[in-house]
Amino acid sequence: MASRRPPERDIAPVAQRIRLRYARLGRLRFSSHRDFQRALERAIRRAGLPIAYSAGFSPHPKISYANSAPTGAASEAEYVEIGLTEERDPDAVRRDLDAALPPGLDIVDAVVARTSDFASRLEASRWRIELPEVSSAELERARDAFWAAETIEVERMAKSGLRKFDAREPVVLAEVEDGPCAILTVVVRHVTMSVRPDDVLAALRSVADFEPPVPPRVTRLAQGPLDLATHAVGDPFAPDRGD
Amino acid sequence: MSAPVTERPYTQPTDDSRARLRAGRELGASHFDRLEPLLAKVTKPIQYVGGEVNSVVKDWEAARVSWALMYPDAYEVGAPNQGVQILYEVLNERDHLLAERCYAVWPDLESLMRQAGVPQFTVDGHRAVGDFDVLGLSFSTELGYTNMLTALDLAGIPLHAVDRHGDEPLVIAGGHAAFNPEPISDFLDAAVLGDGEEAVLLISQVIDEWKSEGRPDGREGLLLRLAKTGSVYVPRFYDVEYLTDGRIQKVTPNRTDVPWRVSKHTLMDLDEWSYPKKPLVPLAETVHERMSVEIFRGCTRGCRFCQAGMITRPVRERSITGVAEIVERGLQATGFEEVGLLSLSSADHSEIADIARNLADRYEDSQTSLSLPSTRVDAFNVDLANELSRNGRRSGLTFAPEGGSERMRKVINKLVTEEDLIRTVTTAYAAGWRHVKLYFMCGLPTETDDDVLQIATLAKEVIKAGREVSGRRDIKCTVSIGGFVPKPHTPFQWAAQLDHESTDARLAKLKDAIRSDREYGKAIGLRYHDGKPGIVEGILSRGDRRVGRVIEQAWRDGARFDGWSEHFSFDGWMASADVALQGEVVDVDWYTIRERDRTEVLPWEHLDSGLDTEWLWEDWQDALDEVAVEDCRWTPCFDCGVCDQMGTQIQIGPTGVTDLPMPAIPSN
């Protein structure tokens, strides 16, 4: 009689954890987090990396993701950690994995994990929000109204239902630049109901009737520890590099 | 009906429609920058952006013949389609040819594209479909017809082939539904029956020659060249005349130099056509995420309801080494975690045991699962499933007895006895499988309530046997029921389809019979659809050219994505059919629930699947007499006509190779 226990199998333990910074750019910014997960797992297999698996009936590759940018937003600073059964040179892993992923999903940095509190180092994000067909004067007016407010309540549909939260307080920096179009750069502290660029735009609409005529192009430029004095977002890999 | 799309800027495309949609760009230019702002406003935008691993964008100028290959359903259904992927590779491997893919856009994007004047596009190069030489559509099912009309309209291509006079793409249909293309013949320039690999190359060659000669006699000249090959059907070169009672009187060529009948294509020696080599790896989630390999084509089991088994004869196997090569190369190229061994009845491959054992050995330690989707009811099949699930969870195993009663199974020629089934599921439950899924059909010819109620009896016996052998109470059986739709080129092509009210009544009785059983009822799951969608599929399957008006009317009234229950509207289709068939002696019932007799000219009789009509009729009579027919792989030929008519023969092993060399895969 067959047993219902998972089959006995040699589960190779994790010998090395590698942290990767990746970018999701151009048309592939429309991929969802789940889309990226599948793409990465397959790229790992194509690249022939010795990925470790969990035990049990349906073994899963040992991959853990940090908070990911919303679908439709580009990013230059997403983070993921993979567990390998053999030690590898992180630069070679970066190169092989990047080659196995489609252009637009790019592995830009890799370090061997030497510390344990990685997720807590992702304290804040720096976002660039490009607003085609918007003048910088218009944007500045809206930004000033945003800045003047103490709290701005916005709504978003979350998995748990419609949530109301403050989109003003976690924003520590909001700068307007002039380029081919108006550009808003924001630095946002990560809090439980994380404030996304969409929420900042909803807040601008709410306090200043600011309504961009075409969909903005959003890019996460950095994630990492926040310097409260300068509002700089630092490199979360620094402790792993031994810097 | 889903909300009609009100803005229709190009339902009457003119010669300028495609130029306007091109917005001043060169032929073959990308329109992605125009599409991109719309993508922020639609659901699952990733399905429209392309860029999949192993996708190809070739230089437009270097190609002498360009194909837009469309699977007329959503990306998540269309992207894994083997047929499209194979043709995409076959065409793109040739330097002078170019192929890109496109899929149906959902109504949210359709509406935005109309507002912005963005044309139907390919996902590879985001080129306008109207720029290509050919728009090739693969119809696995008739329910994609309305999506074709949306695509033509969005591309700025006139819906009706007779209104295309310039350099619009040739609109060519293939796939199983193309064995009766008459309902969509108004919209098609041509149709191709059978295997596409050689056909697309033949058509490309004819187009290439015609173009290099300076396009003699224009579009008509090209279509005539294609028709003369005898293996491309050009509907406009055939006239259909009707009797006063609505039946077809005759179908005749209206040109002296086109053949009376057009033949299907049959690819011989599958090992010579080792595709797909580098399957696409979609970023978006799709219905099948696996490395699929076709282990053989064709089936001679002779199930009388099965159009696929009838129109893909003879059986042609891929060898064990050929299968292993495709699997290995495909896994390297994709990184897929699952291998699917596809065919119409995979356990029937003459080398299947060796294939299963070798692949299971080879990939045992690589977290790669193997599946055999199409299964038959016998203990050997359970052994195979055990082999393929050495490491994995033994959750569900599927069998398809198709008919509930022994009598019904004789009618449909599915030669499975109740003892076979009980023995098989007993073996499965004993081997640790917990969940058995059984497929049946409802609405088969000669079926009575009692035949369907025996499905409940069978399911209870299955649970009873399973509980005994496993000693457990938590085993399950799911019964899935599909409505039977008679299909062209099958012995049931003459049969009356069961009306949807009777289908629903029969299913309700079955549901009661299962639910009311206190001992077993809770262990049996029942999945079925109501009978209405089958009626629409029925008109589209066995319709003639007059049904084209129904399709167009339904589309104008808003029909889209008819294979999706949330988009499908039976009432909408019936209302559209009433309008479209006004003043005709025929109606929906005439096409669906009416039995045909031997003398009636069927709409697809000028399209040759190789099956001898006399043989089909005799098989239909055998069905009514409950007489079974054997499989010609193991018993003498029973003269279905295919091999004689098509000059083909059965190609089966075994090859004598039982062991494959051990893995060429990189050691992790």
Side-chain angles (χ1 to χ4, degrees), chain B residues 132 208 259 266 391 449 660:
Chain B
F132 286 75
D208 190 16
T266 309
N391 285 338
D449 286 356
L660 294 166

Side-chain angles (χ1 to χ4, degrees), chain B residues 161-452:
Chain B
V162 293
D163 296 330
R164 299 173 202 143
H165 305 292
D167 60 352
E168 299 93 344
L170 289 188
V171 179
I172 304 182
H176 288 182
F179 276 77
N180 177 23
E182 292 299 86
I184 49 169
S185 59
D186 285 351
F187 319 117
L188 297 179
D189 292 296
V192 174
L193 281 65
D195 299 325
E197 290 92 336
E198 291 171 312
V200 293
L201 296 177
L202 169 75
I203 292 168
S204 299
Q205 190 190 338
V206 172
I207 295 174
D208 190 16
E209 285 168 8
W210 171 80
K211 281 170 84 172
S212 64
E213 289 167 31
R215 305 175 189 249
D217 303 317
R219 196 176 181 87
E220 178 110 347
L222 172 58
L223 289 170
L224 196 55
R225 287 184 186 206
L226 290 168
K228 280 186 194 169
T229 64
S231 50
V232 178
Y233 173 53
V234 179
R236 72 176 64 179
F237 295 146
Y238 296 80
D239 291 330
V240 181
E241 290 163 69
Y242 300 96
L243 298 163
T244 50
D245 65 4
R247 287 179 301 157
I248 293 171
Q249 182 180 22
K250 57 180 177 183
V251 181
T252 41
N254 55 29
R255 311 280 297 233
T256 52
D257 37 7
V258 302
W260 279 81
R261 297 189 85 198
V262 181
S263 301
K264 76 163 179 180
H265 294 255
T266 309
L267 189 76
M268 299 305 291
D269 200 348
L270 261 53
D271 282 332
E272 293 288 307
W273 294 83
S274 196
Y275 297 97
K277 291 176 181 162
K278 295 169 79 183
L280 296 157
V281 188
L283 279 150
E285 193 164 6
T286 61
V287 292
H288 296 302
E289 307 245 332
R290 63 187 175 206
M291 173 57 222
S292 295
V293 51
E294 220 183 346
I295 62 173
F296 64 90
R297 265 184 213 179
C299 180
T300 39
R301 286 259 158 193
C303 302
R304 291 176 174 128
F305 54 83
C306 179
Q307 187 191 38
M310 293 288 163
I311 63 178
T312 60
R313 296 171 175 209
V315 170
R316 291 145 288 153
E317 287 186 356
R318 208 184 286 286
S319 68
I320 179 171
T321 39
V323 169
E325 182 192 319
I326 294 188
V327 169
E328 178 56 24
R329 191 178 45 206
L331 287 176
Q332 300 255 12
T334 60
F336 280 138
E337 306 81 0
E338 186 184 338
V339 174
L341 303 174
L342 308 188
S343 75
L344 293 170
S345 177
S346 291
D348 285 345
H349 192 290
S350 65
E351 301 173 294
I352 189 64
D354 290 325
I355 291 175
R357 178 176 50 80
N358 275 281
L359 293 182
D361 286 348
R362 185 177 268 198
Y363 299 110
E364 183 152 22
D365 299 320
S366 68
Q367 308 296 341
T368 305
S369 65
L370 302 166
S371 69
L372 203 62
S374 195
T375 54
R376 60 177 208 229
V377 186
D378 60 28
F380 169 67
N381 199 44
V382 179
D383 294 344
L384 277 178
N386 293 344
E387 185 81 316
L388 296 178
S389 64
R390 274 185 209 171
N391 285 338
R393 183 198 296 266
R394 289 182 179 171
S395 47
L397 202 51
T398 302
F399 302 103
E402 309 285 3
S405 67
E406 200 97 20
R407 189 194 74 78
M408 206 66 253
R409 292 193 291 273
K410 282 183 187 153
V411 171
I412 62 178
N413 203 40
K414 186 91 189 188
L415 307 178
V416 181
T417 63
E418 183 168 338
E419 297 81 74
D420 290 337
L421 180 67
I422 298 302
R423 200 181 317 120
T424 305
V425 297
T426 305
T427 316
Y429 286 124
W433 299 87
R434 289 283 164 260
H435 187 180
V436 166
K437 297 176 198 168
L438 300 176
Y439 281 10
F440 294 94
M441 281 189 289
C442 177
L444 290 161
T446 78
E447 180 185 278
T448 63
D449 286 356
D450 188 51
D451 292 309
V452 170

Side-chain angles (χ1 to χ4, degrees), chain B residues 19-26:
Chain B
R20 185 160 45 79
L21 289 165
R22 210 178 282 134
R25 298 185 180 201
E26 300 279 303

Side-chain angles (χ1 to χ4, degrees), chain B residues 495-512:
Chain B
Q497 188 175 349
L498 186 63
D499 62 272
H500 66 88
E501 294 90 346
S502 303
T503 300
D504 293 348
R506 228 165 248 175
L507 290 173
K509 285 177 190 162
L510 174 63
K511 188 177 168 185
D512 285 348

